[in-house]
Amino acid sequence: MNKDQLFEQIKIKKSFLCIGLDPAHEKLPKHLLKYENPVLTFNKEIIDATKDLCVAYKPNTAFYECMGLKGWETLIETWKYIPQDIFSIADAKRGDIGNTSAMYAEAFFNQAQSGMSFDAITVAPYMGKDSVEPFLKFEDKWVILLALTSNNGSNDFQQQQAAEGKLYENVLRTASTWANSEQMMYVVGATKGAEFKNVRKYAPDNFLLVPGVGAQGGSLDEVCENGLNDQCGLLINSSRGIIYAGDGEDFAEKAREEALKLQIEMEAWLRRANIL
């Protein structure tokens, strides 16, 4: 999915919601445990209940890798179940020397080889340009580079001041020379709402993947106030706040209710910004 196609989906659905599919086995509704693959059943029901309200799904691969072979099979089947007009993100946070990154890119982008072909993958920038380039060689695929994350520990390094600015500013400045806004997005946590104006100085046209709204306490209004651009430019992710909204047999309905609340807020912001 390219940038124009993503923006078109945002306008059609009046939403820039991304839903994180991070199913912890111990948090699944108990009635699902009778199924052969409770996690896959859970994911499918969440997708069925919310697919008209969101423009992206983001499985965090750690929740699948921890299950071994069955986890990888579940990740593949989850990717296959995501509708083709919805942006799919492998939240894998990869990043290694070039030949290893090339194999990671094959794993998440080359369906013929791995069974999966996500639209995007999250990548850590610490090892530099040659660790990111292999992902950028795939046409119409995206790198979502970690820039300013929502966790408390992000201050340990990302906010450190150097001669040319804070570390995260240097990441944005340098990475902008590797790829344009048609292939590069950045992760910027919602808990860093006040920083979005500054982020936009370095990445005015890029989409930003924004975790941290909901369970982590980030403010949707603050993010939108400071982060929206003329093509929206935001994918606001909510994981726990949506998928664990209920733990009974109506869990998917409860998830839809929470997704709908966010979609309604997002539509209002899109209208306020004259995007709709």
Side-chain angles (χ1 to χ4, degrees), residues 243-255:
I243 66 174
Y244 299 138
D247 60 3
E249 294 194 10
D250 63 346
F251 77 92
E253 294 170 30
K254 295 296 185 183

Side-chain angles (χ1 to χ4, degrees), residues 18-255:
C18 172
I19 296 177
L21 298 174
D22 307 344
H25 200 274
E26 66 275 10
K27 292 185 178 181
L28 297 180
K30 297 297 185 286
H31 73 280
L32 295 181
L33 301 180
K34 66 185 178 185
Y35 291 95
E36 181 181 352
N37 191 332
V39 169
L40 183 59
T41 303
F42 178 82
N43 285 350
K44 286 182 174 181
E45 291 199 33
I46 293 290
I47 291 169
D48 287 343
T50 60
K51 61 187 177 184
D52 61 321
L53 301 174
C54 69
V55 296
Y57 287 108
K58 181 180 71 64
N60 185 316
T61 63
F63 288 82
Y64 303 87
E65 293 174 76
C66 69
M67 295 190 291
L69 177 59
K70 187 167 186 176
W72 278 107
E73 292 170 345
T74 302
L75 181 61
I76 292 169
E77 292 304 313
T78 296
W79 171 78
K80 288 179 179 178
Y81 201 75
I82 296 172
Q84 290 192 350
D85 62 352
I86 295 182
F87 196 71
S88 59
I89 301 168
D91 189 4
K93 299 179 180 71
R94 297 303 198 253
D96 208 326
I97 60 173
N99 63 338
T100 306
S101 279
M103 294 299 101
Y104 283 138
E106 293 286 332
F108 291 100
F109 288 161
N110 187 349
Q111 184 178 2
Q113 181 157 306
S114 69
M116 299 179 287
S117 184
F118 283 88
D119 292 304
I121 184 172
T122 55
V123 176
Y126 187 75
M127 291 185 69
K129 182 178 181 180
D130 58 341
S131 70
V132 177
E133 281 183 322
F135 300 99
L136 295 169
K137 291 180 180 179
F138 282 79
E139 187 176 355
D140 285 338
K141 300 296 184 182
W142 295 79
V143 164
I144 308 179
L145 209 66
L146 302 178
L148 185 59
T149 55
S150 57
N151 61 306
N152 292 332
S154 66
N155 293 327
D156 291 343
F157 297 113
Q158 295 163 22
Q159 297 277 14
Q160 290 295 307
Q161 191 73 39
E164 296 181 353
K166 295 178 180 179
L167 177 60
Y168 87 83
E169 294 172 338
N170 289 329
V171 168
L172 293 168
R173 185 186 300 111
T174 302
S176 69
T177 68
W178 302 344
N180 62 24
S181 64
E182 301 285 337
Q183 253 196 312
M184 184 78 77
M185 300 186 188
Y186 300 102
V187 174
V188 182
T191 56
K192 313 296 182 182
E195 297 269 9
F196 274 77
K197 277 189 178 178
N198 191 47
V199 169
R200 281 299 185 204
K201 293 177 185 176
Y202 300 95
D205 301 320
N206 300 77
F207 266 88
L208 307 177
L209 174 63
V210 185
V213 167
Q216 294 183 56
S219 166
L220 176 65
D221 288 340
E222 191 174 24
V223 170
C224 291
E225 182 72 39
N226 297 309
L228 281 168
N229 63 21
D230 59 4
Q231 283 194 303
C232 180
L234 297 173
L235 293 175
I236 304 287
N237 181 78
S238 179
S239 301
R240 288 171 285 174
I242 291 177
I243 66 174
Y244 299 138
D247 60 3
E249 294 194 10
D250 63 346
F251 77 92
E253 294 170 30
K254 295 296 185 183

